[in-house]
Amino acid sequence: MIKVSLHGAEFFAYHGFYPEEQLLGCRFVLDIDVEFYTTADLAADEITDTVNYEQLYNIAAEEMRITRKLLEPVAQCIANRIRHDHPYVENIRVELKKLNPLLKGSVAYSSVTITNNK
């Protein structure tokens, strides 16, 4: 099994339950892991024999631009798009962290993790 990961992808987006969160925006950090089997000869050194992490980033960037109230649908839509574009992928894990969420105390981040297995 091969695992391709994209960790620490940073975005500024307007996700949040409260109107001020959707107005002010917030910083987010995204981690994506995908696992798949291949029969390809990896020594051939062809990008078509793997999951291109640039494509993972582009999927995430497109979904992060769509404002949503909750983190769960953002992470789920990213996983769904990966599954659609790469149906051979066995396991998908998407963790979305909201940095410094608007709470009454100091919190480094809140997060949601979606796991999508075949």
Side-chain angles (χ1 to χ4, degrees):
M1 182 163 303
I2 297 173
K3 180 178 179 180
V4 173
S5 300
L6 181 69
H7 286 184
E10 295 185 25
F11 299 93
F12 189 87
Y14 297 90
H15 308 300
F17 182 77
Y18 298 104
E20 59 268 24
E21 293 178 293
Q22 293 186 8
L23 181 66
L24 299 173
C26 189
R27 288 179 45 231
F28 295 85
V29 175
L30 182 69
D31 297 333
I32 300 172
D33 298 301
V34 298
E35 296 178 321
F36 60 97
Y37 294 102
T38 185
T39 57
D41 177 12
L42 297 177
D45 203 20
E46 297 293 332
I47 199 161
T48 55
D49 294 335
T50 189
V51 174
N52 180 342
Y53 54 80
E54 181 180 17
Q55 291 174 341
L56 296 179
Y57 181 87
N58 291 338
I59 288 169
E62 289 173 14
E63 292 298 328
M64 289 299 290
R65 284 193 286 271
I66 302 169
T67 299
R68 296 181 175 96
K69 290 181 185 176
L70 303 177
L71 300 183
E72 290 85 346
V74 179
Q76 184 65 61
C77 287
I78 292 169
N80 290 349
R81 289 272 310 279
I82 293 169
R83 172 76 61 213
H84 178 267
D85 291 0
H86 304 283
Y88 54 88
V89 168
E90 293 289 323
N91 305 311
I92 301 168
R93 181 184 165 278
V94 176
E95 181 177 12
L96 181 59
K97 299 172 187 167
K98 184 176 195 173
L99 304 183
N100 303 311
L102 293 177
L103 298 171
K104 293 182 181 183
S106 177
V107 175
Y109 64 86
S110 59
S111 71
V112 168
T113 302
I114 299 290
T115 303
N116 184 317
N117 301 322
K118 269 191 171 176

